[in-house]
Amino acid sequence: DEGPGSAGGGAHACVTAEHRPAFASLVVRCLLPRLKKRSGRHAPLRAAALAWIGRLDPIEIAPLVHAVVAPLEGGASSSGGEEKEKHAWSDLVRATGAGDARAKASWLAAARDAKLYELVRSGSKRPEGFVRAAHDLLKAAGEHAGAYLDALVAIASELLAEASALCESAADARERLANAESPPLKNDEGVDKNHAEAFVASKEAKEVRVMATRFLASAFERHPDFDYAPYWPSIARSVAPMLARAANESSAATAAPPAVALVASVASDDACAKLLLEDAVVTSSSSSSEDDEEKINVTSFLESAWRALGARHASGATRACALGVAESLVERAETWRLGR
């Protein structure tokens, strides 16, 4: 029950402060195999390991954070990889844990360079594994996970963007095929080939989109003081189509639609709620001399949450979540008005 630098029974510290980070990191590496076993007789051991890790300093959990992000390094080609590439994110994780501002700011570019869209489009299980492990890290490491939020949020927002784009593209393809006048192309089994491909593409990405959205909602809720501004435009663009359909998908009894839950988490904090008050601008590099800009009407998110609240078939969970958005923003609007 003691920390990594203490011995039981009130004895003097068995590990000096100078050697504690290296010792704690070594123990974390030894515990990593146990963290991969979630069920059965391994569950108590995993819970105990996470509880111990939760008491460490940010720099001491760097091996755990690297274990979370490493499967995505290099995209779909990361199974082999060159040794230099394997160490790139490891060094970046350590610098991030040490508070290096340049390292923290470089994660969005690192996530994009990893070509995560290849993993999402190939149907790999690694994106789901990352989101699940990152969610566990948020809960286990407590406030210390905040030191690595740039890494976790950057990767999650990039996965969300790729999964959302693929899902919406598949939905558009299905709509075009439904309205097409030409006969569909059948495969050997007599199934419409184009319809099948569109369905599979959407199915492969749907779970990643839902999980990433719920992870980001949890991040906003647990770490409202973090600066989400660099990542918000991409997140906003990804959840916009989900929110537009939220009223039609609000009947689940156990949880509100993930996009509504995300908006509720954003609205629950003064600083984060201001992200909902103005349009988000997404800049994407192109071959032209100037970057393309896309404006996302973020204020429409509140209308979507309101429609979900008023949907006839909305569950209690959805109504509670949407009502929380309205109450939070009304309360903050009055506070902001009085503060002027």
Side-chain angles (χ1 to χ4, degrees), residues 33 44 95 105 118 123 144 154-155 157 161 179 228 324:
E118 295 179 354
H144 295 326
I155 296 174
S157 62
N179 298 328
Y228 293 95

Side-chain angles (χ1 to χ4, degrees), residues 151-212:
L152 302 179
V153 172
I155 296 174
S157 62
E158 190 68 11
L159 286 174
L160 174 60
E162 298 299 343
S164 184
L166 188 56
C167 288
E168 294 307 314
S169 176
D172 291 343
R174 290 195 296 271
E175 184 176 355
R176 288 195 303 270
L177 289 168
N179 298 328
E181 298 181 359
S182 57
L185 178 64
K186 303 287 185 177
N187 61 16
D188 294 339
E189 288 75 28
V191 178
D192 183 343
K193 182 178 179 181
N194 291 326
H195 272 291
E197 290 177 353
F199 173 78
V200 169
S202 178
K203 183 178 180 181
E204 289 173 348
K206 185 176 181 180
E207 189 65 19
V208 174
R209 178 161 71 164
V210 169
M211 292 178 64

Side-chain angles (χ1 to χ4, degrees), residues 72-239:
L72 301 184
E73 185 174 5
S77 61
S78 63
S79 56
E82 298 180 1
E83 197 66 25
K84 182 179 179 181
E85 291 295 325
K86 285 185 177 181
H87 288 298
W89 278 18
S90 177
D91 296 339
L92 196 55
V93 165
R94 284 196 295 270
T96 300
D100 188 325
R102 292 181 60 185
K104 292 184 176 184
S106 67
W107 273 106
L108 194 54
R112 289 171 178 167
D113 290 343
K115 300 180 180 179
L116 299 180
Y117 64 86
E118 295 179 354
L119 289 173
V120 176
R121 298 188 181 203
S122 68
S124 170
K125 295 296 183 182
R126 277 185 274 169
E128 293 181 37
F130 161 78
V131 180
R132 191 175 292 110
H135 218 150
D136 287 345
L137 182 62
L138 273 188
K139 293 182 286 187
E143 63 179 20
H144 295 326
Y148 297 96
L149 275 183
D150 284 284
L152 302 179
V153 172
I155 296 174
S157 62
E158 190 68 11
L159 286 174
L160 174 60
E162 298 299 343
S164 184
L166 188 56
C167 288
E168 294 307 314
S169 176
D172 291 343
R174 290 195 296 271
E175 184 176 355
R176 288 195 303 270
L177 289 168
N179 298 328
E181 298 181 359
S182 57
L185 178 64
K186 303 287 185 177
N187 61 16
D188 294 339
E189 288 75 28
V191 178
D192 183 343
K193 182 178 179 181
N194 291 326
H195 272 291
E197 290 177 353
F199 173 78
V200 169
S202 178
K203 183 178 180 181
E204 289 173 348
K206 185 176 181 180
E207 189 65 19
V208 174
R209 178 161 71 164
V210 169
M211 292 178 64
T213 303
R214 293 204 181 279
F215 166 77
L216 291 168
S218 182
F220 273 102
E221 182 178 355
R222 292 172 180 270
H223 299 275
D225 295 333
F226 177 72
D227 181 14
Y228 293 95
Y231 313 103
W232 175 244
S234 176
I235 295 172
R237 178 172 60 179
S238 300
V239 301

